[in-house]
Amino acid sequence: MTNLRITQTKSVISEKQNQRDTLRTLGLKKIGQSVVREDRPEVLGMIRTVAHLVAVEEVD
């Protein structure tokens, strides 16, 4: 299964609480921080929720 590198690119200030919680669940706390997660439906749903705050790239 492929992996995704998720990088937070924008601040969560003035965002809704569910979007802040989603970023925390993904493991992101700071702008510029990256995490690697498996390409799973649950993770894709979380990415869709915060798509305007993160950058996603595929990693092998």
Side-chain angles (χ1 to χ4, degrees):
M1 192 169 268
T2 61
N3 289 324
L4 300 173
R5 176 176 289 135
I6 307 162
T7 305
Q8 183 175 346
T9 58
K10 292 188 179 179
S11 174
V12 295
I13 294 174
S14 78
E15 298 297 335
K16 294 180 181 178
Q17 187 64 43
N18 70 321
Q19 294 171 352
R20 293 179 190 200
D21 294 340
T22 301
L23 282 177
R24 282 295 171 137
T25 303
L26 285 170
L28 297 170
K29 298 177 184 178
K30 298 180 180 181
I31 296 174
Q33 184 179 5
S34 295
V35 293
V36 176
R37 298 282 180 248
E38 283 188 15
D39 186 9
R40 300 181 45 84
E42 300 87 10
V43 174
L44 293 177
M46 288 189 270
I47 291 171
R48 196 172 304 118
T49 301
V50 294
H52 59 290
L53 301 174
V54 298
V56 181
E57 59 186 80
E58 213 172 284
V59 179
D60 291 333

